[in-house]
Amino acid sequence: MQNIQRSSYIRPRTKTFDLVITAILAALVFVATMFINLKLPFGQGGLIHLGTSMLFISAILFGPKKGALAGAIGMGLFDIVGGWLIWAPTTIISRALQGFIVGKIAWSRGYKGDHIGLNILGAVISMPVMIAVYYIGQAIMFNSWIAPLASIPGDIIQNVVGLIIAIPVCVVLKKTPYFNRNF
């Protein structure tokens, strides 16, 4: 009887389970962005927050689709409820792309976020994409191609801090029983 219970628990890959995991990841990105942030004294009102690290962690551990959704929903929701509504469309696009890129590279060549080099590469490649989308969004919002340049250093700092936090956290989490199971 234990084998039946155990086998039904080991394979919880259902649409409902995936929806719940995605919602939890989006909530973690939202909370890390909302409550653990520092407003930058330069640029166009940017923040240094731990939401980027949660986006990287989500994409590395759960793949491109969940990474994209977690980043877009979590940080987009932060913009909507946190008083940054004008930024929401840019955030949703940039963070969806960033989460997808990180997850796609981390889960490439048969790896599922298990290769530290690919995880770092994914995060590094995603950074210029995120920065470019925010740059274009700001250029449109502020009708200037010069003003958004002031935000780039903060974007770089935010991404580097996110990467420095995410990689060791992923290494530790990948050693837990949940991620060692074969689904």
Side-chain angles (χ1 to χ4, degrees):
M1 183 137 172
Q2 275 185 328
N3 288 340
I4 293 171
Q5 289 174 342
R6 203 177 293 167
S7 68
S8 64
Y9 175 74
I10 290 175
R11 298 185 81 29
R13 290 290 179 198
T14 64
K15 291 183 188 232
T16 303
F17 182 78
D18 284 342
L19 179 64
V20 169
I21 291 292
T22 304
I24 290 168
L25 295 173
L28 288 170
V29 170
F30 172 75
V31 168
T33 306
M34 184 78 159
F35 298 110
I36 309 168
N37 66 55
L38 172 67
K39 186 166 179 358
L40 293 173
F42 55 88
Q44 303 297 325
L47 298 170
I48 299 292
H49 55 75
L50 296 184
T52 303
S53 61
M54 282 307 307
L55 180 150
F56 289 157
I57 291 166
S58 298
I60 290 167
L61 295 180
F62 293 96
K65 184 178 175 183
K66 286 181 182 64
L69 289 169
I73 295 167
M75 288 191 220
L77 188 58
F78 164 76
D79 282 353
I80 292 167
V81 302
W84 305 86
L85 185 61
I86 192 171
W87 294 92
T90 303
T91 295
I92 290 167
I93 293 166
S94 68
R95 297 312 185 143
L97 287 171
Q98 189 170 32
F100 183 82
I101 291 166
V102 173
K104 193 69 171 171
I105 293 172
W107 281 54
S108 66
R109 298 179 11 192
Y111 293 101
K112 292 185 177 182
D114 298 320
H115 191 280
I116 294 173
L118 287 175
N119 298 347
I120 294 169
L121 180 66
V124 169
I125 288 176
S126 77
M127 292 177 194
V129 173
M130 173 266 194
I131 292 168
V133 172
Y134 271 109
Y135 177 83
I136 292 167
Q138 288 178 59
I140 293 167
M141 279 188 271
F142 300 112
N143 198 26
S144 170
W145 293 99
I146 304 298
L149 293 173
S151 296
I152 293 175
D155 291 341
I156 292 170
I157 292 167
Q158 182 185 107
N159 278 280
V160 170
V161 168
L163 178 61
I164 290 169
I165 292 168
I167 296 301
V169 169
C170 288
V171 168
V172 170
L173 289 174
K174 279 293 191 175
K175 294 177 182 177
T176 64
Y178 180 85
F179 292 104
N180 283 323
R181 292 185 279 178
N182 294 322
F183 289 104

